[in-house]
């Protein structure tokens, strides 16, 4: 997904009403936003809407087909699939938002410092970014998870290490563009300190493209979390994870497909929802699409 750095960043001063109207005209953004909103509501209200406790086992009712009590059937321990899907949304959003918040804060700060000060500071930070980007993302996350041991905290740490370099590179490129503007020169002449310029003048202008990157990135992070859980290096039992549910359902895919298929569908819809919302947000912020 390509992002027009100059165009997107120049939209930060636009009236919110105009931006919202433009966003609502993006069909993909509306559909994706609805999916994200539904998943978020399910995650926040999981204890209220889940029909059964997600860790309640019934060994006499394993891999049972759907019925009036277990609407999507049960898993290998007789646990209700629907309840575990509902609580799995909470796990996915917890990991996705936590990783994105950490990477946005860390990557933006380092990227802005590198782009504004340049010189040795830029070289030191960007060489660290290049080293991190030299490793395939999923492979590096698997390596970190294997070293630290499985668990939610490990997943958050591993994926944060993977994702911050991309955010830092984007923030640096945005600052390199905007620090040449006249308003930055005016702030320097007025006696503003470098960190005041970064905070008050540059940061507000680079927020839009970072928001686009974050909205799409959460979906990719959720997919990465599911991958780690599928491999047994992520979220551990009894905490539900969509990736772990897919793994547990594969051995019984032919005889009892409800577990693997339902978890795969929910995971896929969630990722598509974040991607659609991110693409729509990008189009709403892109000045080249005005008037279409």
């Amino acid at each position: 997904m390509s992002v027009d750095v100059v165009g997107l960043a120049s939209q930060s001063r636009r009236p919110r009403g105009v931006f919202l109207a433009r966003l609502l005209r993006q069909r993909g953004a509306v559909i994706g936003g609805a999916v994200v909103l539904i998943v978020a509501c399910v995650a926040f209200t999981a204890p209220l809407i889940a029909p059964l406790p997600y860790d309640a086992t019934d060994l006499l009712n394993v891999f049972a087909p759907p019925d009036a009590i277990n609407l999507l059937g049960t898993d290998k321990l007789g646990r209700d699939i629907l309840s575990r899907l509902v609580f799995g949304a909470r796990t996915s959003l917890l990991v996705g938002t936590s990783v994105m918040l950490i990477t946005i804060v860390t990557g933006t700060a380092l990227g802005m410092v590198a782009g504004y000060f340049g010189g040795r500071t830029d070289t030191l930070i960007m060489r660290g970014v290049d080293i991190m980007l030299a490793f395939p993302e999923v492979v590096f996350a698997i390596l970190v998870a294997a070293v630290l041991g499985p668990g939610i905290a490990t997943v958050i740490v591993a994926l944060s290490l993977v994702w911050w370099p991309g955010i830092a590179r984007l923030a640096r490129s945005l600052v390199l563009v905007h620090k040449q503007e006249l308003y930055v020169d005016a702030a320097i002449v007025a006696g503003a300190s470098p960190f005041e310029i970064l905070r008050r003048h540059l940061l507000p202008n680079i927020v839009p493209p970072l928001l686009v990157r974050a909205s799409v990135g959460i979906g990719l992070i959720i997919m990465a979390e599911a991958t780690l859980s599928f491999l047994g290096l992520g979220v551990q039992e009894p905490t539900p994870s969509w990736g772990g549910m897919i793994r547990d359902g594969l051995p019984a895919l032919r005889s009892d497909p409800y577990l693997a298929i339902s978890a795969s569908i929910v995971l896929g819809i969630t990722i598509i929802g974040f991607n659609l919302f991110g693409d729509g947000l990008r189009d709403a912020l892109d000045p080249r699409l005005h008037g279409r």
Side-chain angles (χ1 to χ4, degrees):
M1 181 187 69
S2 62
V3 178
D4 184 350
V5 171
V6 179
L8 287 180
S10 66
Q11 306 306 305
S12 61
R13 294 183 291 272
R14 291 219 169 141
R16 294 182 181 179
V18 175
F19 163 71
L20 182 59
R22 188 173 295 123
L23 181 63
L24 293 177
R25 287 200 297 267
Q26 303 294 328
R27 183 177 303 177
V30 174
I31 295 174
V35 171
V36 171
L37 181 61
I38 291 173
V39 173
C41 290
V42 169
F44 282 113
T45 61
L48 300 177
I49 65 176
L52 295 169
Y54 69 85
D55 55 353
T57 61
D58 184 1
L59 297 180
L60 299 179
N61 195 33
V62 299
F63 284 123
D67 56 28
I69 298 177
N70 306 112
L71 299 180
L72 292 178
T74 62
D75 65 3
K76 63 181 181 180
L77 295 177
R79 298 172 298 192
D80 182 59
I81 293 176
L82 179 58
S83 299
R84 293 184 64 78
L85 286 175
V86 169
F87 277 93
R90 171 174 288 190
T91 302
S92 295
L93 284 188
L94 171 64
V95 172
T97 54
S98 298
V99 171
M100 187 50 63
L101 285 174
I102 293 172
T103 56
I104 282 290
V105 173
T106 305
T108 300
L110 292 175
M112 291 182 68
V113 169
Y116 184 80
F117 291 102
R120 293 182 178 179
T121 301
D122 183 27
T123 300
L124 178 62
I125 294 176
M126 296 315 296
R127 293 300 78 77
V129 168
D130 292 339
I131 291 173
M132 296 298 298
L133 292 177
F135 297 92
E137 294 179 351
V138 176
V139 174
F140 186 76
I142 291 173
L143 176 62
V144 174
V147 171
L148 298 180
I152 293 181
T154 294
V155 172
I156 293 175
V157 171
L159 296 181
S160 296
L161 290 174
V162 166
W163 275 91
W164 77 264
I167 300 296
R169 176 171 286 183
L170 175 60
R172 174 181 178 271
S173 65
L174 294 168
V175 169
L176 286 175
V177 171
H178 281 278
K179 78 174 185 178
Q180 307 298 329
E181 299 290 339
L182 292 178
Y183 67 85
V184 175
D185 294 334
I188 295 174
V189 172
S193 66
F195 289 101
E196 185 178 3
I197 294 173
L198 287 171
R199 180 178 61 86
R200 295 186 57 186
H201 300 284
L202 292 176
L203 180 59
N205 286 287
I206 70 172
V207 165
L210 291 174
L211 288 178
V212 173
R213 179 66 179 267
S215 61
V216 176
I218 291 180
L220 299 176
I221 291 169
I222 290 175
M223 181 172 64
E225 179 274 319
T227 301
L228 292 177
S229 297
F230 181 86
L231 296 174
L233 297 172
V235 179
Q236 297 297 295
E237 296 284 1
T239 304
S241 166
W242 292 337
M245 295 176 68
I246 296 173
R247 178 198 61 218
D248 293 341
L250 285 183
L253 184 59
R254 292 193 176 186
S255 59
D256 298 284
Y258 308 103
L259 177 58
I261 291 178
S262 60
S264 299
I265 291 175
V266 171
L267 176 62
I269 291 176
T270 301
I271 295 172
I272 291 173
F274 276 104
N275 288 340
L276 286 176
F277 182 72
D279 288 341
L281 185 62
R282 176 202 61 192
D283 293 342
L285 291 168
D286 195 335
R288 297 173 301 178
L289 300 178
H290 294 174
R292 287 190 180 181

